[in-house]
Amino acid sequence: MRELFKELNLSGEFIEHMIGLLLGDGYFSNQNKCKYSSQFIVTNVNPSYIYALSKLFTEEGIDHIVKIKEKKGSFPGSKMSSSIYTKFYVTFAEFERKWYETRSDGTHFKVVPADLKLTPISLLQWYIGDGYLVNLKGEPQRVQFCTERYTDDEIVFLRDCFLRDFDLDIQIDWSRRRLRIPKRKLNDFFEILPECPSDFKSELGYKWA
């Protein structure tokens, strides 16, 4: 049963994690359209990563469950996925109002908040969710972030956040609507990005140069 109106006193570090998750595949769900509470959901194809996040949620005092799919989805190329589903909290409703807008037709969609600030922790979670390293014959060539879901203005803003928050001047690949860290900037990028956590290094270590 849902617990409505339950407050959370989130730590600053957890909020940094949550920002990175929201920039990627994390999202808020409010199935019953109640404005007072919301549920936070994170999905990933790597169960070790989800279990590591589960530890983080537990340490923060957030009630949640982990679901592991036993089979792939029905569409071509789909993979098994694992998810975290939190209980409904009023605190998440506050974040939902900041990260979502509603169109005139009632469609609820994610936006990039104007006061977004990137940190190494938020960058780590965003990179795990939506970033990838491009190699050619075993040689790292560039890093890219999937940002095609965002508007042109949001993509430009996210690029500018790298410069403002990390002093890292990156590029936009407009043909694919993605952020790109070119080869000459890779050392600078990986100096900012925390190392791949040991809990899921066997699954996701390939993302690191």
Side-chain angles (χ1 to χ4, degrees), residues 153-187:
D153 288 343
E154 287 174 325
I155 293 172
V156 171
F157 174 64
L158 288 169
R159 178 202 62 188
D160 293 346
C161 285
F162 275 86
L163 184 60
R164 181 198 65 196
D165 299 332
F166 301 134
D167 195 26
L168 189 62
D169 190 9
I170 70 171
Q171 303 168 344
I172 298 173
D173 177 358
W174 283 114
S175 65
R176 304 185 71 187
R177 301 182 60 78
R178 296 181 178 183
L179 298 179
R180 178 170 59 196
I181 294 91
K183 186 175 182 178
R184 67 179 184 279
K185 298 284 186 177
L186 284 182
N187 287 340

